[in-house]
Amino acid sequence: MTGIERVGVVGGGLMGSGIAEVNARAGKDVIVVESSPAAVDNARQRLTSSLERAESRGKIESAAAVLDRIRVVDDLTALADRDIVIEAIVEDEAAKTDLFRRLDEIVTSPDAILASNTSSIPIMKLAVATQRPSHVLGVHFFNPVPVLKLVELVPSLMTDAATTERARAFVQDDLGKNAIDCQDRAGFVVNALLIPFILSAIRMLESGFATAEDIDQGLVLGAAHPQGPLALADLIGLDTTKAVAESLYEEFKEPLYAAPPLLARMVEAGLLGRKTGRGFYTYG
């Protein structure tokens, strides 16, 4: 047994709400913290819609029963009694560092795990913002969280082995996910491979080499990918794709990690993919 029953999630967007959902479906007591009353309402609606959809498809018996295990609030101090807090806010190093500093002051149990769902920021940078770096690590879920089984576990140089093993048991035994181990390097395993692939597709489109539709169809029909790289970028969010690319480039200085100008211009224009209704494709 992991002893992790009270779970906190900071951020109620696509990733945060998904993390909250899988924990509540596993019987955990979950508190989600958002930044404002409006964001609280949005997170509640996102959770309700997802769980009602799961109920209608026979994935769970009762959406209402799962929702009863989730509280969504706009007060970070509500997380004081949590056994684990998983950060799932914007992919911004300064914002995450500030949050970990505050969580270190708020969460009372010395055994509590402070985890980040970051997809690219080195965990050490977050750990040293706290007085408990031995209990900080990356626990990186994948979107959509209720569907995808993978979680990357990313200890820093300062993370206790016992903390990593407790997190592994929580992810695998409690949540039913599959954990892989990653070095604390920007991008970890999946994004260090995936982001250059997506950036290459964007450069191909930008150069006029092929259309978005043909690039994606080529990978779907020719390589058995479930979706093409440009559609995947729209699903991830072009702002997140750019942020991960920038973290990778900052760490490794490899040209393949540099964000193409087209990606930068689309982010500046607010064309972020599915979440804004338009990216490389237009969504209804």
Side-chain angles (χ1 to χ4, degrees):
M1 295 294 290
T2 64
I4 297 175
E5 297 300 330
R6 297 183 299 274
V7 176
V9 180
V10 185
L14 280 175
M15 292 302 298
S17 62
I19 294 167
E21 178 178 329
V22 297
N23 275 276
R25 284 168 67 164
K28 306 300 182 183
D29 173 73
V30 181
I31 295 177
V32 179
V33 177
E34 259 294 2
S35 58
S36 68
V40 166
D41 291 341
N42 289 339
R44 283 189 183 128
Q45 184 55 53
R46 191 174 288 112
L47 283 159
T48 300
S49 297
S50 179
L51 286 165
E52 287 178 347
R53 203 159 48 241
E55 182 182 324
S56 71
R57 295 173 180 171
K59 303 293 186 183
I60 57 175
E61 289 188 9
S62 169
V66 178
L67 284 166
D68 280 347
R69 292 192 282 272
I70 305 173
R71 287 173 285 160
V72 187
V73 301
D74 61 0
D75 179 9
L76 203 62
T77 63
L79 302 176
D81 69 342
R82 301 291 94 179
D83 302 314
I84 186 171
V85 177
I86 304 169
E87 166 274 313
I89 65 170
V90 63
E91 194 71 358
D92 178 86
E93 183 181 322
K96 289 181 187 291
T97 301
D98 180 65
L99 175 60
F100 270 77
R101 188 177 296 111
R102 294 170 66 195
L103 289 173
D104 187 41
E105 296 170 352
I106 289 168
V107 179
T108 57
S109 171
D111 293 325
I113 296 173
L114 302 183
S116 176
N117 186 58
T118 180
S119 52
S120 63
I121 295 170
I123 300 304
M124 181 60 78
K125 293 185 176 184
L126 307 179
V128 296
T130 76
Q131 299 300 310
R132 56 178 104 183
S134 62
H135 285 69
V136 176
L137 83 164
V139 180
H140 180 220
F141 294 81
F142 289 80
N143 183 39
V145 180
V147 176
L148 295 187
K149 289 291 189 180
L150 183 67
V151 175
E152 292 178 320
L153 291 181
V154 192
S156 80
L157 290 172
M158 300 293 289
T159 307
D160 279 350
T163 298
T164 304
E165 291 312 307
R166 190 174 175 217
R168 187 190 316 281
F170 168 67
V171 164
Q172 297 190 157
D173 300 340
D174 294 3
L175 303 185
K177 301 288 189 183
N178 295 103
I180 62 172
D181 296 315
C182 308
Q183 291 285 324
D184 185 19
R185 304 289 185 272
F188 315 135
V189 170
V190 173
N191 279 308
L193 295 169
L194 179 63
I195 293 301
F197 169 61
I198 291 175
L199 298 181
S200 180
I202 296 172
R203 291 189 191 99
M204 183 175 282
L205 175 67
E206 185 175 49
S207 70
F209 193 93
T211 66
E213 291 79 4
D214 285 348
I215 291 167
D216 280 356
Q217 191 173 49
L219 272 296
V220 170
L221 300 181
H225 288 205
Q227 62 183 328
L230 299 174
L232 179 56
D234 277 354
L235 177 63
I236 294 169
L238 301 194
D239 53 341
T240 300
T241 301
K242 179 174 176 285
V244 177
E246 289 171 343
S247 292
L248 286 162
Y249 186 76
E250 180 183 353
E251 177 121 319
F252 299 110
K253 299 298 188 293
E254 294 282 355
L256 78 164
Y257 295 128
L262 176 60
L263 177 61
R265 295 297 89 76
M266 292 178 73
V267 171
E268 288 163 1
L271 306 178
L272 307 182
R274 284 185 177 272
K275 60 187 170 185
T276 59
R278 183 179 165 193
F280 293 110
Y281 299 93
T282 299
Y283 302 90

